Amino acid sequence: MPFPRYGVLAGQLHHHFRDDPDHQGRWFHVNLEVDAPAGRFHCAVDVDSHKSNVGVQWKVFTLSPLEVGPAAAVALGYHDLAATPDSGAMDYLRQPSLVDHTGVLFQRRPPSWLRDLLELLGSRPWQVGSYAEATAALEPILVAGRRILVFGEPFTDDHLGRQGMHNVHQNQGDPGDSQWWDENGIWQDGATFTERPDGHYDVFLSKFSSQAAHTDSSGHPVG
């Protein structure tokens, strides 16, 4: 079944840091510390999978507040969002401002002139690479002091006295043999948006290569 709760945290980015590397030197998350009226939230943005045979894909682009939708106007704090297109929820495969219409998948970062052309054409192609390359794509938009929107599943850890957001990645399209099959759902994808001085938002989306690019109304793979 989809997540019992899904929403967006709006706050001010205080700080970001990477996971401690594992014995192979990898890290799996870029961690965000976000200040909101209820305190400081810990948000884990996925830049790799714990399954070594599953690669990561990502995209970075800029949207106007109108393209962001209702979430651009929420007050500071955490807000539950219904799994519907008009609630402010995110869906990589259904929201026009997020969808890649070209079907292009870049094995490395395209040159700046091609990125500018794709942006002009409204293309949102995925890039594929390592955890380090995904991190290098995300970190430039993480400017301390900026307003930030983090979409995903909220959590609380009473033992650590921590509240935050996780599953900040695509949350649909996992295959039938995956442990995450039951969590597939539409309009519940995770994302990171940071507001620029001009009011536009820089966007980072991530997914795993095992997740389908087409899903049914339950978020399960099709085709």
Side-chain angles (χ1 to χ4, degrees):
M1 61 180 294
F3 296 143
R5 294 184 69 193
Y6 166 82
V8 60
L9 171 67
Q12 184 179 59
L13 180 61
H14 172 74
H15 175 62
H16 78 272
F17 60 94
R18 303 172 183 178
D19 284 345
D20 291 333
D22 66 9
H23 66 280
Q24 295 179 316
R26 297 181 306 169
W27 57 89
F28 301 101
H29 306 96
V30 173
N31 301 277
L32 316 179
E33 301 288 347
V34 178
D35 290 330
R40 183 161 293 167
F41 287 71
H42 176 88
C43 307
V45 182
D46 292 77
V47 293
D48 200 4
S49 168
H50 286 265
K51 287 191 172 183
S52 60
N53 61 333
V54 177
V56 65
Q57 298 174 12
W58 69 90
K59 58 174 79 176
V60 181
F61 51 89
T62 303
L63 295 179
S64 69
L66 183 62
E67 292 173 303
V68 173
V74 298
L76 296 178
Y78 172 78
H79 305 268
D80 281 318
L81 298 175
T84 61
D86 58 355
S87 69
M90 294 291 146
D91 190 308
Y92 293 5
L93 311 182
R94 293 167 178 80
Q95 185 167 335
S97 62
L98 305 185
V99 171
D100 171 29
H101 298 286
T102 65
V104 173
L105 183 65
F106 286 105
Q107 297 295 326
R108 61 185 64 185
R109 184 174 175 82
S112 59
W113 66 267
L114 181 53
R115 295 199 305 271
D116 292 342
L117 177 59
L118 291 169
E119 186 74 16
L120 182 64
L121 295 174
S123 175
R124 312 288 188 217
W126 288 101
Q127 296 181 55
V128 60
S130 69
Y131 62 94
E133 291 168 317
T135 299
L138 168 60
E139 288 184 328
I141 76 170
L142 300 178
V143 179
R146 281 189 178 181
R147 174 179 166 88
I148 187 169
L149 303 174
V150 183
F151 296 83
E153 183 183 25
F155 74 87
T156 57
D157 188 327
D158 294 333
H159 178 69
L160 295 176
R162 177 183 288 179
Q163 58 188 337
M165 304 286 285
H166 60 179
N167 286 320
V168 185
H169 55 75
Q170 180 170 307
N171 293 306
Q172 59 182 310
D174 280 296
D177 61 352
S178 166
Q179 69 186 86
W180 296 286
W181 165 269
D182 290 338
E183 294 184 348
N184 280 335
I186 64 174
W187 295 104
Q188 61 165 21
D189 288 330
T192 305
F193 292 50
T194 59
E195 187 176 14
R196 297 162 49 151
D198 64 4
H200 285 61
Y201 283 84
D202 290 325
V203 179
F204 179 86
L205 310 181
S206 63
K207 65 186 290 287
F208 305 120
S209 60
S210 57
Q211 293 177 309
H214 302 283
T215 62
D216 61 20
S217 60
S218 297
H220 296 316
V222 296

